[in-house]
Amino acid sequence: MADNLQKGDVQEIPHIRLGPMYSVRPNPIGKDVLSRRTRSLTTTRPPAKRNHWLFSVNPHHYHWDTLFVKGKEMWRGAGTRPDAIRALKQVRKGDRVLCYHSAPERALYAIAEVSRDPYPDPHDLESKMLVADLRAMERLPRQITLDELRENSLVRKLKFLKNVRLIISPVTEEEYQEILRMAGIVATPGLPLP
């Protein structure tokens, strides 16, 4: 086939794909050559969507002030509860956390940020517990009680309000904005909300 070609002729070369990264092209010498295709360097990953969570603790065992004194701390509040571990597996670095104190206060207390993805608890020998590193952001200007959350129609569907025994509960973007508004944090043009 290559013998009949004259100078300037174009030859169609059959191309067989073997998957997303490799392909086989026939070589004029007679041997097939396995070539590696490179991906384009201009592709970019879309920015990760920040999620919002409500972490609940018993203030007799752990008080959120401890986090503000230390600035950053390994949070071990999920314990061995399966529902809390499942929820904690979905938490990612950069997510915002609403810090809630259960009885006797029963109020949202502060905002924190997840500074490291969840990982096995280094103090747990059986390695069943997960922990996440939290960084203190700011205390809420006004604590929001459980009764206030239940009375507000915009946050009434909050999963935590249906079962206050949850340790970790997801919060939608709209619910998060409304909770911040209730606490007295309003958006300033040009500045993002915490």
Side-chain angles (χ1 to χ4, degrees):
M1 192 164 155
D3 299 332
N4 299 338
L5 288 177
Q6 305 244 339
K7 191 173 184 177
D9 286 346
V10 177
Q11 178 185 5
E12 281 291 321
I13 300 174
H15 190 77
I16 304 168
R17 280 186 80 180
L18 293 178
M21 294 299 289
Y22 295 95
S23 58
V24 175
R25 287 191 207 132
N27 190 345
I29 301 173
K31 296 180 182 174
D32 288 340
V33 176
L34 189 66
S35 64
R36 180 171 167 80
R37 294 186 305 129
T38 58
R39 297 206 185 272
S40 171
L41 297 176
T42 60
T43 58
T44 58
R45 182 182 294 178
K49 181 181 170 256
R50 179 188 308 169
N51 293 315
H52 307 286
W53 303 91
L54 188 145
F55 284 17
S56 175
V57 296
N58 182 341
H60 296 297
H61 295 136
Y62 179 86
H63 200 282
W64 288 114
D65 279 336
T66 309
L67 178 63
F68 282 88
V69 169
K70 294 182 177 181
K72 181 180 172 182
E73 187 173 35
M74 178 176 69
W75 186 74
R76 303 176 72 203
T80 56
R81 290 187 49 183
D83 59 335
I85 291 173
R86 273 192 307 273
L88 191 58
K89 286 179 181 177
Q90 298 174 11
V91 174
R92 293 290 164 251
K93 180 180 177 179
D95 288 355
R96 297 290 193 256
V97 175
L98 294 167
C99 307
Y100 178 84
H101 278 152
S102 60
E105 295 175 18
R106 297 178 196 228
L108 284 172
Y109 187 77
I111 303 172
E113 180 182 45
V114 179
S115 59
R116 180 178 173 189
D117 286 348
Y119 56 97
D121 188 349
H123 303 292
D124 182 25
L125 299 177
E126 296 175 8
S127 203
K128 291 183 178 180
M129 293 173 45
L130 282 179
V131 296
D133 289 349
L134 297 180
R135 181 179 65 85
M137 286 188 67
E138 64 181 277
R139 288 184 181 90
L140 295 176
R142 187 179 76 77
Q143 291 186 16
I144 304 168
T145 65
L146 182 62
D147 292 333
E148 288 179 76
L149 288 171
R150 286 188 170 142
E151 290 170 4
N152 189 326
S153 62
L154 296 175
V155 294
R156 192 170 289 153
K157 291 184 180 180
L158 187 65
K159 192 174 180 181
F160 175 75
L161 296 179
K162 295 176 182 170
N163 182 4
V164 293
R165 296 185 61 161
L166 287 175
I167 295 173
I168 301 172
S169 174
V171 178
T172 66
E173 179 68 31
E174 294 78 23
E175 292 166 343
Y176 183 75
Q177 300 290 336
E178 179 61 19
I179 289 169
L180 293 184
R181 188 199 62 75
M182 290 171 67
I185 299 175
V186 292
T188 306
L191 293 175
L193 284 171

